[in-house]
């Protein structure tokens, strides 16, 4: 499995490209405002993407979708290479996508019709098992964020969890549960600071005090959705950086 980090920034950050990544060249996770910039900078072929996963409907995760749709429409029209996306996310995703495309380019723009014809939307909740990446079983888990937010894990043919994505959340039972499966790699929201008066996001302190005790040295954590990049003093905690390839 290859996980390509496109961006590592949270909603407010000191100039980082926003949080997004691609798995095996086919699954794009999150479409933040700068998604097309990140796609081009990292030489991702839009035509290789067949599935888009959006963890929740905050702007730093979805406001780039109209620009991706516009680019896909022009690519399709220009090359006649058939392009279509399965777009997966929480309840309300399809309506939000339509509203964003109409707000950005109006319903008269042919990209709106293209989206209606070539994109399918599916809702996730904690009982869904959508197909995200070939050869892997998906599990979805609900996180503790301000609005409905879902992370996912991918298990290989031997039922071992290779990868988990823990999107925006504070520490909660489902984070505990997914870590008990000892994923080989966890890409995790580390937007929080240890001294946050009311935690909204996870922090390195949460990893040190809780997560690492559960995974017992078997899991590598890549921190993303950051305010700023960090230097880790913990060997199994790594700062995810744009352009980084995580291969496993
Ligand atoms: Zn966010
Ligand atoms: Zn959020």
């Amino acid at each position: 499995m290859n996980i390509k980090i496109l961006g590592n920034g949270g909603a407010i950050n000191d100039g980082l490209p926003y949080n997004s990544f691609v798995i095996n060249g086919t699954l794009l996770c999150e479409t933040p405002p700068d998604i097309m910039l990140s796609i081009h900078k990292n030489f991702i072929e839009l035509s290789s993407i067949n599935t888009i996963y959006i963890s929740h409907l905050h702007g730093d995760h979805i406001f780039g979708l109209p620009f991706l749709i516009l680019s896909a429409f022009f690519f399709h029209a220009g090359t006649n290479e058939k392009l279509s996306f399965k777009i997966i996310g929480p309840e309300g995703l399809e309506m939000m996508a339509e509203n964003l495309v109409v707000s950005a380019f109006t319903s008269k723009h042919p990209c709106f019709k293209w989206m209606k014809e070539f994109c399918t939307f599916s809702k996730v909740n904690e009982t869904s098992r959508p197909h995200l990446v070939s050869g892997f079983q998906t599990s979805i888990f609900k996180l503790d964020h301000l609005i409905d937010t879902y992370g996912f894990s991918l298990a290989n043919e031997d039922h071992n969890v290779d990868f988990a994505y823990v999107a925006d959340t504070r520490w909660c039972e489902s984070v505990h549960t997914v870590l008990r499966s000892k994923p080989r790699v966890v890409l995790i929201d580390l937007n929080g600071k240890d001294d946050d008066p009311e935690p909204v996001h996870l922090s390195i302190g949460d990893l040190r005090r809780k997560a690492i005790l559960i995974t017992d040295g078997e899991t590598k954590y890549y921190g993303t959705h950051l305010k700023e990049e960090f230097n880790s003093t913990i060997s199994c905690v790594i700062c995810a950086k744009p352009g980084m390839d995580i291969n496993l």
Side-chain angles (χ1 to χ4, degrees), residues 56 58 60-61 145 168 201 225:
H56 66 298
H58 276 159
D60 55 319
H61 299 257
H145 194 39
D168 300 24
H201 295 282
H225 197 266

Side-chain angles (χ1 to χ4, degrees), residues 1-5 22-24 162-163 184-185 220 222 243-248:
M1 182 189 290
N2 169 268
I3 300 139
K4 177 94 179 165
I5 305 294
V22 171
I23 300 183
N24 287 355
D162 275 344
F163 176 75
R184 289 173 67 196
V185 165
K220 274 206 160 69
Y222 288 81
M244 189 182 252
D245 281 296
I246 303 168
N247 291 307
L248 64 164

Side-chain angles (χ1 to χ4, degrees), residues 39-104:
I39 280 179
H40 285 293
K41 271 191 157 176
N42 290 283
F43 307 105
I44 303 294
E45 298 286 347
L46 210 49
S47 54
S48 76
I49 304 286
N50 54 37
T51 310
I52 298 172
Y53 182 88
I54 293 172
S55 64
H56 66 298
L57 304 184
H58 276 159
D60 55 319
H61 299 257
I62 191 173
F63 273 19
L65 189 63
F67 298 93
L68 187 135
I69 297 292
L70 184 71
S71 297
F73 161 73
F74 276 109
F75 179 88
H76 197 146
T79 61
N80 238 339
E81 199 178 318
K82 198 166 171 333
L83 211 63
S84 62
F85 300 130
K86 192 170 74 171
I87 307 180
I88 298 171
E91 169 114 51
L93 170 66
E94 183 168 8
M95 185 176 279
M96 178 114 171
E98 288 187 8
N99 287 342
L100 285 171
V101 172
V102 169
S103 300

